[in-house]
Every structure is written in C-alpha cells, then in structure tokens.
Amino acid sequence: MQELTRLDMLFILSLTAIWILLLYHVFLTYGGYRYFLKSMEADEKIHKISDENLPGVSILVPAHNEEMVIARTVDAICRSDYPKDKLEVIVINDSSTDKTGEILTGKQKEYPFLKVVTLKPPIGAKGKSNALNNGLKEATGDYIIVYDADNTPERRAIRYLASTIISDKRLGAVVGKFRTRNRDVNLLTRFINLETISFQWLVQAGRFYWFKLTTITGTNFIIRRDIVEKIGGWRLDALTEDTELTIRVYNEGYYIKWIPEAVTWEQEPEKLKVWLKQRTRWARGNMWVISYYIRRVFTLNRRISWDVIYFFFTYIIFFTSVIVSDVIFILGLTGIARLSITGPFFIIWIMSYILFILETFISLSLERGEGNFKNFLLTALMYFTYCQLWFYLVLRAVWMSLKDKITGKGFYWYKTERSAR
Amino acid sequence: MVKFKNSLAVLVTGLLLLAIFCPAVRAEETSKIEVVIIYEEPYHESNPDFNLIAAFYENLGHFSVEISTLASRAWEKGKLQGYNVVIYIGNRPRELSGEMLEEISSAPYVLWLEDNIEDLARVKGWQDFKFYGKCDYFVRLYAGGMSTLLDPYVPLYLAQPGAEAEILATVSNMKDTLPVMWQRDNIFYLGKLDFSFPFDLLLGDVLHQILPCHEKPGYKVLLRIEDVSPFTNPENLQKLIDVALYHDIPYAIAVTPFARNKGQEASLSQARELVKVLRKAQETSGFIIMHGCYHSNEYSPETGEGFEFWNPKDEKPMEEEPEFTRQRIEKGLKELAKAGIYPAAFEAPHYAMSSKSYAELARYFSTYVGQIQLSDETYKASLELPYKVTSYRLPGMKVWPETLGYVDPGDVMAVAKIREKARFHKILPHVETCVFYHGFLSPEGLEEVIDSIEKEGYVFASLGEERFWVKSKDIKIWGENGLLNWESDIAPIDPEARDPLYKGPGFITKGVIGLAFLVPGLVIFFGLIVWNLRRRRNRLYEEG
C-alpha cells in the first residue's frame, strides 16, 4: 500500500470527522422521531392537572428598547391559560430609551399582576443575564419562566411548562418549542424556520430521547428558582447565558426536558445583517462556553460532559474539518497540492447531501404543515446557501474572539433589532 | 534459471538458416569493407540539429564496414585510394576538381547523393547525361514495383542519366516521370538524402545494392505493447496479450516500473495483478523492454507522458548525467527484478537521451529498441532506421529500430498509414522494424494492426531471437533464440501471497463501502418514516 502523505491524512481525518457527525445526526433524527411518537401518548397525563395543583410561577421578560413588540408579548403572556393568582409577570425594562417604559405603564393598568422592574445605568444595559438576575430579585414564585421580549407564547404554553416541571423532582428545567412567527416574510426567514424546526426536533428532541439532554434555548423555559439561586443566577460573562446555564443545571444533578407542546412564536431576523450579528453572538457565546468547559470536562457530571464534547465536536472539529476539506479541494483544483489517494469522493459528498436533506425533512414532517414539497426544495437549496453562511459566520466569530483576546477588549452584547410584525 | 520461449520463433529461425543470404552482395566480402564519406562543408547548414554524418554512421551500422569521413576541401591526391566504397554527399553546390572526381570514380563503388553529379558525369564521359538540378512538385515515388505519395514541396536533385543507366526509382508529377535513383557503371545515384520515410528506404535499398549484408531476406516486425506502468489496467493488458496469443505471434511489452501521476506514485511490485500478467507473458512468447524507470522527471512529471532522460523545458540533457541515468537504470532494474520481471532491452521514454546517457546505458544493456537521438542539443533530431544496426551513438548496442509508428486513437487512418508504410518498406530485401500499440487501447485495434501487417507478408519477430544481455551489480539477464535466462540477487515477490504491507482493502475503501451500504439503507428507512408520518398525519397532529 502506498504511503499516505500528510495532506492525505488530514483529508481522511476531516472526512471521518464530518461523517461521524453526520451519522450521529442520523441517530438523533431517529430519536427525534421516536420522541415525537412518545410525546403524543404520555403527555396527556402530565397536563391533566387541576388549577389548584399548579405552582406559582414568575415570568421574567427582559426588555431593552422593545417598543415595537413588548405590548403584544405582555398581552400574550397575561392572557395565558394559567390561574392569575399564581402568575407573576415581571418585565425588566433594561435602560430602554424608547417608549417601552410608557407602554408597560399602560399595560400595568390592564394587568394588575404585571410588575415592571426598571433598570437604569450603571445597573442596567449590561446584557440579558444582568436583567434576568435583577428580575429574579423581585420574583416571588418557586418557578421562573423566561420569555424574550419578542415572544408570543400560545395560551397553554405556561401551563404545560409548569405541569411538566412538577411531574418529576429531578427535572431542573423544562424547555418549550419556539416557532418562527415571520417565517413567510422572505427567503431568510423561511430558512430560519427550517433551521429552528430541525434544530429542535433533531438536536433537542433527539438528544432528549436518547440521553435526556436538552439545551435551554433562552426563551420559553421554566426553571426551579432554588437551582438558579444555588448556582448564583445567570453568568454575566457568558454571551449565550442559556447554554451556560444548561451545563450548570445538569452539573447540579438535575435534567432538562424538551416538550413540543409548549409553543411560543418568536420573531426572527429579516435582514441578513441583523441575522449575522445575532448569530455571531451565539457562535461566539457557544465557543466561549465550549472553551470554558472543555478544559473542565472531567470535573463535570458525566452526562453533560458528553454534551460539551458534542458541542466541541460540532463547533470546532466539524467546522475545521469542512474548511480543511474545502481548502484541499481548492488546492487540488488549482494544482497547488494534490491528494495522492483517490476515491469516490464525489459519491461520498452526494451521500452526505442526501442525508442532510432527509434529516431535515424528517424534522419538518414532525411539524404540522411543514413537511411539504416546497420546504423539501428549500432544504435542498439551504445546503448551498444558508448552511454555507454559517461557515462565514463561525470564521467571523473566531476572528472576532481572537481579536478581542489580543486587544483585551470585553464582549459587547448585541441586542437583536426588531421589526414590527 | 532458463525458460524455454516461443517455440515458433525458434522453428522459424531454424528454417531460415537454410535460406539464401542477401543476394545484393556486391562489394568485396573477404576483408572488412572500407567506406569513405565525402561531404561539403558546412554539412548541416540546412538543419543544424540533424547531423547527416552521424545519421550515416548509424545507417552503416547495419553493415560490416570501416567508415572514414573526409570534407571535400580537405581532399588531397591519393587520399581515396584503397576504399571499396566512396559515398559522396552533394549537400551544397561546389565545383569539384577533375583529379578528385577521377579518384572517386576509380573506386569500385560510388554512391553519389544529391548535387554536383554533373561534374562526375563529365569526367565519366557520359554524353547523354543531363542534370536538371533541384526540382520539386513531384507527388509520387516508384520503386521496386511499388509506389508511395511524396510531399511535393520537398526538393529533389534529378537527372537524365543516359541510356546505359539502370533506373532504380523514379518520381512523377502530372507531366513527367524522372529517375531519382539509378546506377550507371560503378556509380549509384540517389537524388535525395533524407533519413525519413520514404527516402530512408531508398538509401537503405541502394546501400544494400553496394554493401554485403548477411541478413536473411524477409520482412520482420516487432510488436511492442507500449507504456505499461503500475497504473496500467492488468485486465486490458491481458486482453492485448490474448490477441497476440490468438495470432500465435511473439511480442514485446515496454514496462515502466514506477509511475507518478497527479501526486500519486506506485511501483510495479505493488501492482500484483499486473505483475501476474507480465510474468505470464514473460514465461510464454513475450519479452519485456525496460521503458525508463519513471517515464517522467521533474521537468515533465506525468508517467507515460513525460520525458525521463531529457529536460524538454530547456531542451537539454538532464543535469548530473550520467549519474542520474545510472541511478534510474539501476533503480528500475531492481524494481523489475523485485517484481520477477527480467527485461531483454531498453527503450528511452520518447526515445530521448544524450550521448553521455547512451554511453552509460550501453554498460547495462546490449539491446535498444526505438529511434536514435542524434543530437545533444535537441531531442527532435530522432533517426528512424528500416533495419537493425549496431549503433555508433549507443556504443556497440544493437538497435531494433522503429519506423512503422503507432495507433493514435484519434486518427481513423492510423492503421491504414501503418500498412502503407509497411508495404513500401518491402522495396528493401529485408526489413526489421517495429510497430507499437499502447497498453491502454482496445484489443480490437490491435487485432486490426496485426491483420493489416500480416497481410503485407510480414512475420512478427521475437526480441529474444538474437543474443542479448543485461548486466547490473545484482542482476544478470541473457538469452537468444527465444530463451531468457537470469541470475538475480533480488528476491522476487510472490504475487499470489498476501503483501505483508497490504492490509486488505484500504480503510478508506472499507469506509466508503460501509457508507455505500449504510446510506441507501438510511435513505429507505427515513423514507419509510416520512411515509408513516404522512399516512398518520390526521391522527398525530392535534386539530387546531
């Protein structure tokens, strides 16, 4: 057998890494499907709970210049199917300079149980974690629910979250599903819709089915107040406070459940620039969390340590591998360096493409009205467009993180710009 | 170790021993024939890369002669005495002295080429002789009862040699037919000195009329399966060999023991299936030619396409030759021996090699196959010969020439061209030539080539007919009459045994095969899931 060159080895390693992740996602897809079938039968029991047995919950809504969306969010939450005596709604008006404060004052007349916590600099404007920690101080409920300011939860969402978390003492948090309210606005929002559905059914449901692992997604989740207090609230230095919180909840010995029946509708970016900024924050945040915990992986609870490794694999190894194989492909095309191995690499690529489409389409089929032909075609297109943008995005995030590391600059919380829909 | 090879070739050789020798033995045969070549200076003005004298030396390597050369200006009285044959090359116009012409014409045989023949005619007193000088627009050549097309732009020196002359070849256009080769008294004349088809054949013919030749009459062709390397598909090669076996003809295979292509490198001993095919060929009627070591070098890196012993980029020999040449020859021989393959001859990739490398090569091989590069300045000065020679440029090596060409898969006339050339070659009393066919081409094409050449009355020759040897530090190969013997210090691999380095299909291949089974399975499974979901849609989703 001929000697493999270093380039060959690199190529094989990257291809192997890509396929390990692809096949893992196949496994998760099947888990998501199984979880879908299972949740149809079991959840009725949990949710058939009388009002008197429901716990008192405090809903935290951090809001920073949310005049376009806050009224609708407050309406949706306050009109929810939950006994009002057990519902405390706290909107944290975090140094808003627009009409958010005025709108909230108006809403307080409408809903007496609505509390508004107003933060002003130097206390406010320090990001979502800070707002949530301040909201927590005012909260009286044993359970904390968080909604982003652009969310409109369905009427029964809060009830489902609450009834699920009291069903098992080992449950530290319960995460609901979020859907894209403005999915039909343009191609970007359509792609985001596909992405969020497939992420939730594949990564959230699939991981929960197989390993009882779910990530808190920052909105539409309930968490035990005592856990939050025990772990010292939300971390101020984490850009993705939700992922970070997830790790700590698991590390305390609890688990988190994802339930598809608790639905909130949120507004996604409609402009590429906005999307890019928001997702770069996520990517940077997740990389921060990964780099922070991968070094402590052996001190973590075993279940979550695997998840940290999985995220490490996705963000670092997978992206590096794809970029490496792309670079080798370009080097080969330009004749600068060639692989000495030959193989049906084109077929391998086609197979990975087919798998991608199928995985995504199965996730879509689990969502009513989404498993249609149009979305099938969109998925096929998404691979070459939206997915490729992620590579740019991750590179951008890496570059920005490195730059900040070198210049010693701290992070800046970019708040997603809203549009009125 | 001795292997018996090709009983048919031995039988044919034996029968031919009974046949008569070449009939055209004109000159003295008792002692070595002395030949002098007289030329006008500068003799390579029209094509500075092509050395006419060197080409003559190679041509005369077919005969048993002593060769001297003399520039006509350097002639002095009595200098031409004692020569059996005087060859005069009238490569430029010159008024020759009567005394010199007298001395030339007093030689037993004179071969006069191209210009200045009118001076000799005057000395000879040929009253009816008429010289036309340089002529062109002649389109057809007739010789030995055959004809072939001519390039009309090629100038020829034509004359009307008189009633007493015997016409040996003529050329014609729409109007005239004129002698281009003739004999009158002891003078042979050829109106065109050109070492390529078809004038190389006229020259060969006239030389055979003058000089004694011990070759038996008949037309022999060597079939060479070309450019076989570790990348060659062994199944296709086997099919080509099967065609030769079907026709019961001997053949040779030009093998390059290492191959490089687009960053990939492979050696023959790794190509187990190919080794099996080659060994089988070697054990039956095939002989192996070592076709370089890599058939490539740093200036032309692709095996099969590249030069090896020449730098085509700068049009010069490789730096550090002959050391480079020696290393490549030894490395190639070792790899062949490792594969259990023992070559009988050498062929340089693209026939390109400098005189230094030829000298080095002659220490290792007795036999060369192909054209001869006459210059150290360009590889394009390549000499075709219509018969075997003992080369001057490849010191003492026997050269199996190559003149019939090859099958270019893009040329629909390729086989017809080969046949046309083969036919016209028959103006010679005997021919030894070669045709080659690439190892990657289809067996049908080879079938056509063999058929068309056989129809011209040719016999396929074995490279092992005549004595040959190959020598290196570790390997000795020798043979004749179709036998191949060798002694080698290099243990050959067993192609049937599992390669100690070979771990079954590579893990990449295994991985791909695994995926090839897994992914369609997953596709079907996922398809079923989607189908199931759609079927049960109304029951699964909450109405709302």
Side-chain angles (χ1 to χ4, degrees):
Chain A
M1 219 171 113
Q2 72 192 70
E3 292 276 311
L4 292 175
T5 62
R6 280 187 190 165
L7 196 70
D8 295 340
M9 290 302 285
L10 201 64
F11 182 68
I12 292 163
L13 281 177
S14 61
L15 215 60
T16 311
I18 291 167
W19 271 95
I20 287 174
L21 203 79
L22 270 173
L23 293 176
Y24 179 59
H25 279 185
V26 166
F27 178 66
L28 290 184
T29 305
Y30 182 62
Y33 166 69
R34 297 289 306 167
Y35 186 62
F36 171 79
L37 297 179
K38 198 177 155 194
S39 63
M40 286 291 129
E41 299 152 14
D43 293 337
E44 287 302 312
K45 275 186 245 161
I46 295 173
H47 299 323
K48 269 186 189 162
I49 187 166
S50 60
D51 282 4
E52 53 269 28
N53 289 330
L54 282 170
V57 297
S58 297
I59 296 172
L60 304 184
V61 184
H64 173 66
N65 293 340
E66 302 285 6
E67 61 180 9
M68 284 190 181
V69 291
I70 195 69
R72 190 166 48 189
T73 305
V74 170
D75 287 344
I77 293 170
C78 294
R79 287 174 196 164
S80 67
D81 171 23
Y82 204 82
K84 298 294 175 281
D85 56 325
K86 292 183 175 178
L87 185 69
E88 179 182 48
V89 181
I90 304 171
V91 179
I92 305 113
N93 178 13
D94 186 4
S95 313
S96 296
T97 50
D98 62 357
K99 288 182 183 156
T100 307
E102 287 171 38
I103 295 166
L104 288 172
T105 311
K107 287 289 168 193
Q108 270 180 313
K109 287 171 194 154
E110 208 173 321
Y111 311 111
F113 51 93
L114 172 66
K115 280 190 197 171
V116 176
V117 176
T118 306
L119 300 180
K120 285 188 179 148
I123 299 164
K126 284 179 182 167
K128 191 174 166 186
S129 295
N130 179 56
L132 288 170
N133 285 336
N134 279 292
L136 183 67
K137 284 178 201 162
E138 300 294 325
T140 55
D142 291 337
Y143 296 91
I144 306 295
I145 293 177
V146 177
Y147 279 107
D148 281 345
D150 62 337
N151 272 228
T152 44
E154 288 184 358
R155 281 196 75 227
R156 278 184 280 183
I158 294 166
R159 174 180 283 271
Y160 288 152
L161 290 173
S163 59
T164 307
I165 200 162
I166 58 166
S167 69
D168 187 349
K169 281 182 184 162
R170 289 173 304 141
L171 260 178
V174 176
V175 182
K177 185 166 73 185
F178 60 93
R179 295 294 315 276
T180 307
R181 189 167 59 213
N182 53 343
R183 65 189 159 181
D184 291 327
V185 170
N186 57 30
L187 197 61
L188 178 66
T189 58
R190 285 192 182 96
F191 282 147
I192 294 172
N193 180 44
L194 302 190
E195 183 198 25
T196 53
I197 292 170
S198 92
F199 163 75
Q200 292 183 92
W201 279 111
L202 207 146
V203 180
Q204 295 285 70
R207 271 181 336 152
F208 182 75
Y209 180 78
W210 294 115
F211 314 114
K212 283 204 161 30
L213 276 169
T214 290
T215 306
I216 296 172
T217 45
T219 186
N220 195 25
F221 69 92
I222 187 167
I223 185 163
R224 287 177 199 275
R225 184 198 175 98
D226 53 352
I227 299 178
V228 184
E229 282 172 348
K230 192 177 169 197
I231 62 179
W234 281 268
R235 259 186 95 132
L236 294 176
D237 53 355
L239 274 173
T240 43
E241 77 301 329
D242 36 12
T243 316
E244 203 277 335
L245 185 65
T246 305
I247 295 173
R248 290 194 289 156
V249 169
Y250 273 99
N251 214 30
E252 287 298 319
Y254 292 94
Y255 75 99
I256 302 170
K257 188 176 185 178
W258 182 78
I259 54 167
E261 57 272 26
V263 178
T264 184
W265 293 81
E266 70 175 22
Q267 187 184 292
E268 297 291 352
E270 292 172 9
K271 286 180 187 156
L272 199 62
K273 207 174 143 192
V274 177
W275 177 86
L276 201 63
K277 281 187 178 172
Q278 185 199 48
R279 300 303 167 101
T280 305
R281 174 168 66 79
W282 292 3
R284 285 187 66 184
N286 283 341
M287 281 190 279
W288 182 90
V289 172
I290 294 159
S291 64
Y292 182 84
Y293 282 104
I294 197 78
R295 284 174 278 171
R296 296 163 176 81
V297 74
F298 296 110
T299 64
L300 291 174
N301 172 303
R302 192 189 293 167
R303 184 183 286 160
I304 194 65
S305 67
W306 280 113
D307 216 36
V308 170
I309 291 168
Y310 163 65
F311 276 106
F312 175 74
F313 209 91
T314 311
Y315 267 91
I316 313 293
I317 313 262
F318 177 71
F319 274 96
T320 312
S321 298
V322 172
I323 287 161
V324 163
S325 64
D326 282 354
V327 167
I328 291 173
F329 178 70
I330 291 162
L331 288 180
L333 274 188
T334 53
I336 296 167
R338 280 187 203 283
L339 292 174
S340 70
I341 45 168
T342 50
F345 298 123
F346 181 68
I347 294 171
I348 292 181
W349 178 82
I350 287 282
M351 289 200 292
S352 58
Y353 181 50
I354 292 171
L355 270 186
F356 167 81
I357 294 176
L358 276 170
E359 279 172 11
T360 312
F361 194 67
I362 284 184
S363 307
L364 296 177
S365 302
L366 302 178
E367 207 58 60
R368 189 182 175 84
E370 298 287 355
N372 54 35
F373 186 64
K374 192 177 156 195
N375 277 347
F376 182 83
L377 293 181
L378 267 176
T379 308
L381 179 67
M382 185 169 154
Y383 181 87
F384 295 103
T385 51
Y386 188 80
C387 295
Q388 304 306 317
L389 274 176
W390 265 97
F391 292 105
Y392 168 67
L393 201 143
V394 169
L395 286 178
R396 186 171 183 256
V398 170
W399 167 243
M400 285 169 78
S401 300
L402 282 176
K403 212 167 71 178
D404 289 355
K405 193 126 198 161
I406 294 162
T407 56
K409 235 171 74 181
F411 65 86
Y412 165 72
W413 181 284
Y414 168 76
K415 189 198 123 348
T416 309
E417 288 165 32
R418 310 283 185 217
S419 52
R421 276 181 215 278
Chain B
M1 205 183 288
V2 179
K3 299 251 168 177
F4 182 73
K5 293 184 57 81
N6 191 15
S7 57
L8 185 75
V10 176
L11 187 66
V12 168
T13 315
L15 285 173
L16 285 173
L17 279 173
L18 303 170
I20 50 167
F21 290 149
C22 292
V25 183
R26 296 284 191 87
E28 299 291 326
E29 288 187 51
T30 44
S31 57
K32 203 148 197 186
I33 311 292
E34 301 264 351
V35 176
V36 63
I37 302 168
I38 306 170
Y39 56 90
E40 299 300 337
E41 286 177 310
Y43 64 83
H44 51 15
E45 192 182 40
S46 61
N47 182 357
D49 293 327
F50 199 88
N51 187 328
L52 289 177
I53 305 297
F56 245 113
Y57 265 86
E58 295 305 319
N59 250 282
L60 292 170
H62 181 62
F63 307 92
S64 190
V65 293
E66 285 285 337
I67 308 165
S68 310
T69 52
L70 179 69
S72 83
R73 283 181 199 281
W75 173 84
E76 286 165 14
K77 200 167 176 163
K79 265 209 164 173
L80 299 178
Q81 278 179 6
Y83 286 103
N84 306 88
V85 177
V86 174
I87 297 174
Y88 173 81
I89 307 175
N91 49 300
R92 50 195 302 115
R94 180 149 185 249
E95 211 164 294
L96 301 168
S97 78
E99 281 181 311
M100 183 176 123
L101 289 165
E102 288 283 358
E103 211 171 294
I104 290 173
S105 74
S106 67
Y109 292 96
V110 175
L111 170 58
W112 197 281
L113 297 146
E114 299 193 344
D115 211 353
N116 308 324
I117 182 71
E118 70 278 21
D119 294 346
L120 184 73
R122 203 167 43 246
V123 170
K124 280 289 206 180
W126 296 338
Q127 297 299 324
D128 54 353
F129 181 88
K130 193 178 175 199
F131 186 50
Y132 300 122
K134 205 189 261 190
C135 312
D136 52 13
Y137 291 103
F138 284 85
V139 293
R140 194 160 270 282
L141 170 67
Y142 298 88
M146 276 170 290
S147 77
T148 192
L149 283 173
L150 283 182
D151 176 356
Y153 299 105
V154 171
L156 310 166
Y157 290 87
L158 300 177
Q160 198 52 261
E164 287 173 35
E166 184 190 347
I167 309 299
L168 303 173
T170 57
V171 288
S172 73
N173 56 20
M174 300 288 279
K175 239 166 56 196
D176 305 307
T177 299
L178 292 174
V180 68
M181 187 166 86
W182 44 265
Q183 181 202 350
R184 186 165 178 178
D185 306 332
N186 62 333
I187 312 295
F188 288 78
Y189 178 80
L190 175 57
K192 179 71 191 173
L193 179 58
D194 182 347
F195 291 92
S196 58
F197 184 84
F199 290 100
D200 59 334
L201 302 176
L202 292 189
L203 179 67
D205 187 23
V206 74
L207 287 174
H208 274 87
Q209 304 219 19
I210 296 168
L211 296 166
C213 167
H214 300 287
E215 289 290 336
K216 299 153 282 285
Y219 314 117
K220 286 186 194 171
V221 61
L222 178 70
L223 170 64
R224 192 172 86 220
I225 298 171
E226 185 77 344
D227 286 341
V228 170
S229 81
F231 291 152
T232 300
N233 175 358
E235 285 170 21
N236 194 60
L237 179 63
Q238 186 59 60
K239 283 181 188 163
L240 298 181
I241 291 171
D242 289 344
V243 172
L245 291 175
Y246 174 76
H247 284 263
D248 198 14
I249 57 170
Y251 57 94
I253 306 173
V255 180
T256 308
F258 292 94
R260 278 185 191 142
N261 195 354
K262 293 174 185 147
Q264 287 189 74
E265 188 166 327
S267 67
L268 184 61
S269 55
Q270 293 167 336
R272 303 270 160 149
E273 290 307 311
L274 183 65
V275 167
K276 282 189 216 167
V277 173
L278 289 173
R279 281 200 193 174
K280 195 85 187 284
Q282 181 177 261
E283 283 161 15
T284 54
S285 49
F287 274 89
I288 306 298
I289 299 165
M290 179 172 158
H291 190 26
C293 181
Y294 281 92
H295 207 313
S296 61
N297 61 31
E298 57 183 300
Y299 304 104
S300 52
E302 201 164 303
T303 292
E305 300 289 327
F307 287 76
E308 181 157 15
F309 303 101
W310 191 257
N311 169 357
K313 201 167 142 254
D314 308 311
E315 191 68 311
K316 63 176 194 183
M318 295 297 287
E319 289 98 17
E320 293 169 30
E321 64 166 9
E323 185 53 35
F324 173 83
T325 310
R326 176 163 47 240
Q327 281 174 6
R328 289 271 173 126
I329 292 171
E330 289 197 352
K331 187 173 182 189
L333 274 173
K334 274 187 187 164
E335 181 60 27
L336 286 169
K338 195 175 161 196
I341 302 297
Y342 303 96
F346 189 89
E347 178 202 345
H350 298 303
Y351 309 132
M353 238 183 186
S354 74
S355 52
K356 264 191 198 168
S357 287
Y358 277 144
E360 194 61 34
L361 181 66
R363 295 174 51 222
Y364 291 89
F365 284 85
S366 70
T367 310
Y368 186 84
V369 176
Q371 297 175 6
I372 299 168
Q373 182 177 323
L374 289 177
S375 167
D376 285 352
E377 313 287 326
T378 172
Y379 75 91
K380 285 166 193 148
S382 200
L383 178 68
E384 296 181 357
L385 290 161
Y387 30 64
K388 280 191 279 188
V389 298
T390 302
S391 175
Y392 285 83
R393 198 163 164 81
L394 291 76
M397 287 181 83
K398 292 256 191 260
V399 177
W400 251 105
E402 189 272 294
T403 40
L404 291 191
Y406 66 103
V407 175
D408 174 356
D411 182 1
V412 288
M413 296 298 288
V415 177
K417 283 178 188 166
I418 290 170
R419 184 168 181 178
E420 164 81 7
K421 268 188 153 183
R423 181 187 300 133
F424 201 72
H425 270 65
K426 293 192 290 186
I427 66 168
L428 289 168
H430 73 97
V431 174
E432 292 101 28
T433 183
C434 178
V435 66
F436 66 93
Y437 193 82
H438 284 104
F440 52 81
L441 295 179
S442 74
E444 291 78 20
L446 182 60
E447 187 84 46
E448 266 187 80
V449 172
I450 293 172
D451 277 345
S452 66
I453 294 175
E454 277 184 336
K455 278 181 188 148
E456 289 302 327
Y458 277 75
V459 171
F460 283 87
S462 168
L463 191 58
E465 266 173 29
E466 285 194 8
R467 206 173 74 80
F468 64 87
W469 55 257
V470 181
K471 277 187 291 199
S472 78
K473 208 169 69 197
D474 318 298
I475 305 148
K476 283 184 181 55
I477 305 163
W478 70 98
E480 88 185 292
N481 295 332
L483 295 173
L484 175 71
N485 316 284
W486 67 84
E487 279 172 9
S488 169
D489 298 339
I490 294 158
I493 54 146
D494 178 0
E496 299 293 345
R498 179 167 268 203
D499 185 342
L501 294 172
Y502 183 71
K503 300 175 184 77
F507 62 93
I508 308 165
T509 318
K510 276 183 186 165
V512 173
I513 292 169
L515 283 178
F517 279 101
L518 184 66
V519 175
L522 289 173
V523 168
I524 293 166
F525 182 59
F526 279 8
L528 285 173
I529 289 179
V530 172
W531 177 74
N532 187 37
L533 282 171
R534 297 182 79 83
R535 192 172 58 91
R536 297 167 63 186
R537 187 172 1 199
N538 290 338
R539 275 203 289 147
L540 289 174
Y541 296 113
E542 202 181 328
E543 291 299 328

